[in-house]
Amino acid sequence: MKSTNLYKGSLTTIILKLLNENDKMYGYEITQKVKEITKGELNITEGALYPSLHKLEAEGLLDVEFAKVNNRTRKYYKLTELGTQETVNKLAELEDYIRTMRALVNPKFRLQ
Amino acid sequence: MKTLSKNQIEELYVFTRKHYVEWYDVQTELVDHLANGIERQWEINSNISFKDALNAEFKKFGIFGFSELVENKQRALNKYYRSLVFKELKTYLRLPSFLFLIITVYAFKTLLSTIGYKAYVLAAIIVLMLAVSVCHMYRAKKAIRRRYANTGKKWLFDAAVMELGGFVHVSFLLIQVPNFDRFSMLQTGVGTLLVSTVVILYFMVFYISTRIVPKIIKENMKKRYQELYL
């Protein structure tokens, strides 16, 4: 995807959705998972990912835990109960948005 | 798979410090991210040097490097701090403590209405508020330095406590108050009541943000980040 601005509004939803499916993930893993799922079409930048993760953590939607991996400490993110509820709301919002955009971009031709 | 050595991890910590990330919790996350990126590059080409791989990973953070990330995290933490303050404040705005608040506001208003030199009293209160804020910041900064000297680590939530989630800056805005209307508000009953309410609420917020919330936030963070504390 050439324009990164297009996905920025949905970044929170993408993160919540991935964590909903994967129990716990760390920052780098999220960037790689998105790249893998979208076959390299969507590239989440570090400068966008971490502020979103930290915001979600501060809002109580994400919890964190740490593990020692290869001489270093890894910070994992996982959904809280509130985060799980919010994921449902955010996904519904995003689906509505996609539907609206589709109607705008590709309106069905009707004969009156 | 080629992985980073202990020394290289230490070099990454130094690298983040050199790029103005002084908070250990933020450094740790960045170090792991950079390490993952470097190891990924080594998977593709194991001949890339550690330094070249590191520079390539750092470039991905954009022209501002880590600074934007740190600022945003600080902002998010300050917002969390303020939300805790308002949550605590709400408990005081319920009965029976609400009655105590009304009595205090009324007593303060009566005091302001009866004494002469109202403007001087209010100016003294503003100076007191500023002095308390400066004193709080000084003590919090000293605590951060002391902890750093003992453990070699600085924590971002300590910075949020120092700034009271941004509330401390409100105190410094109070310097502007005498310029607004030269205390003409104190000439009317409603104005005196309004000023009294603001002063009492300010002291309540200040008390909650300096005495209650730091304990809550430190406990929360210690629980969440206990593995890093060890």
Side-chain angles (χ1 to χ4, degrees), chain B residues 5 29 35 43 45 66 70 72 79 85 96 140 150 153 157 166-167 171 192 199 204:
Chain B
S5 67
E29 189 165 32
E43 265 176 48
N45 178 5
F66 303 136
V70 176
N72 281 315
K79 201 175 163 192
V85 172
N150 291 335
K153 294 170 186 172
F157 66 82
F167 278 128
S171 307
T192 313
V199 168
M204 276 184 73

Side-chain angles (χ1 to χ4, degrees), chain B residues 132-133 136 164 171 202-211:
Chain B
V132 173
S133 298
H136 163 80
L164 301 176
S171 307
Y202 177 86
F203 274 113
M204 276 184 73
V205 167
F206 199 82
Y207 174 76
I208 293 168
S209 29
T210 52
R211 298 280 159 200

Side-chain angles (χ1 to χ4, degrees), chain B residues 1 45 48 70 88 90 102 109 132 156 160 213 216:
Chain B
M1 193 183 89
N45 178 5
I48 303 173
V70 176
E88 284 297 315
K90 268 191 215 164
I102 290 175
K109 181 199 171 274
V132 173
L156 192 57
V213 173
I216 299 173

